[in-house]
Amino acid sequence: DSGVTQTPKHLITATGQRVTLRCSPRSGDLSVYWYQQSLDQGLQFLIQYYNGEERAKGNILERFSAQQFPDLHSELNLSSLELGDSALYFCASSPTDRETYEQYFGPGTRLTVT
Amino acid sequence: TQLLEQSPQFLSIQEGENLTVYCNSSSVFSSLQWYRQEPGEGPVLLVTVVTGGEVKKLKRLTFQFGDARKDSSLHITAAQPGDTGLYLCAGIIVAGANNLFFGTGTRLTVIP
């Protein structure tokens, strides 16, 4: 158990819909990272937040957005869903935003878009 | 094109055999990590290497960071069925944003 929690574990929804994935980092960790893992693309970095502020952006679509709240939990919002958005979405946390030697991953949310 | 290429992509070996997984890039990394991921779970950090030429051992696993910090290898001695999983290398680029770039992955199956 990494100490990072993600909900829900599974999510099935239809194209065009909007969903919210939730992540609670390890106690004391200020950075939260979101990743997408699909069969053909591997594990792709989406976005990072540090202590409530966006710190780095990766391959995140404009239809996706995220935020980190004062209690440090984070949410990833996916809208206008397409079949290709079906994937595992992981959240990871680390203590700092610099020299991120170690990231601890949650169990993931499996999103299926039908 | 992936920043970090791993080879082989798939590996199936008998219990007790040795194996090496490679992680290569044309970019220089300030640090490099190895993760193992099991089906339905998130990646679990195995090791972090930060110095060129560094070698770290974790029981039967030996990790090496290349002198130029562009590549790494993972060697497993006397593989066991419990070693089965997806092995991922991940690195932070020098002078880049502090986010991890993950390798393409090596799926290892150890047959009892």
Side-chain angles (χ1 to χ4, degrees):
Chain A
D1 185 355
S2 66
V4 178
T5 60
Q6 288 187 249
T7 56
K9 190 156 181 65
H10 300 279
L11 197 50
I12 301 174
T13 189
T15 54
Q17 295 298 305
R18 172 190 171 95
V19 297
T20 298
L21 312 184
R22 183 187 169 102
C23 167
S24 292
R26 292 187 322 156
S27 177
D29 283 359
L30 299 178
S31 265
V32 169
Y33 308 78
W34 286 97
Y35 293 87
Q36 179 191 59
Q37 187 176 39
S38 57
L39 284 176
D40 58 344
Q41 290 291 323
L43 200 62
Q44 301 285 328
F45 167 71
L46 295 177
I47 197 165
Q48 177 203 356
Y49 277 81
Y50 174 75
N51 204 21
E53 294 186 1
E54 181 183 306
R55 191 54 60 102
K57 252 184 178 178
N59 300 321
I60 188 166
L61 300 172
E62 286 191 9
R63 301 183 284 110
F64 296 180
S65 65
Q67 54 184 329
Q68 186 179 28
F69 295 87
D71 67 352
L72 300 177
H73 90 271
S74 178
E75 293 181 356
L76 179 66
N77 300 296
L78 314 176
S79 62
S80 302
L81 285 168
E82 303 175 359
L83 294 177
D85 297 327
S86 295
L88 273 166
Y89 290 85
F90 288 103
C91 163
S93 74
S94 70
T96 69
D97 70 324
R98 308 296 293 178
E99 301 297 326
T100 49
Y101 292 146
E102 298 180 355
Q103 293 188 14
Y104 297 87
F105 282 78
T109 293
R110 182 176 292 279
L111 173 66
T112 302
V113 182
T114 61
Chain B
T1 303
Q2 290 276 4
L3 200 62
L4 282 164
E5 294 286 341
Q6 287 184 237
S7 61
Q9 188 177 358
F10 297 95
L11 189 55
S12 181
I13 62 171
Q14 295 289 329
E15 181 177 359
E17 292 184 350
N18 302 331
L19 67 113
T20 301
V21 176
Y22 299 94
C23 173
N24 295 294
S25 177
S26 58
S27 298
V28 178
F29 292 89
S30 59
S31 68
L32 198 135
Q33 304 172 9
W34 284 92
Y35 291 80
R36 185 172 77 201
Q37 184 179 16
E38 300 191 20
E41 300 181 9
V44 175
L45 180 66
L46 297 175
V47 77
T48 301
V49 285
V50 300
T51 305
E54 182 176 1
V55 177
K56 278 192 175 179
K57 290 192 175 183
L58 185 66
K59 296 183 181 178
R60 294 176 293 100
L61 278 59
T62 301
F63 305 86
Q64 184 163 9
F65 200 12
D67 291 340
R69 291 184 292 148
K70 292 183 177 182
D71 55 84
S72 180
S73 64
L74 158 61
H75 183 79
I76 301 179
T77 303
Q80 299 177 1
D83 296 326
T84 294
L86 178 67
Y87 288 82
L88 297 161
C89 63
I92 298 174
I93 297 176
V94 170
N98 285 319
N99 53 276
L100 283 176
F101 287 93
F102 277 82
T104 49
T106 294
R107 191 166 296 280
L108 170 66
T109 302
V110 181
I111 303 167

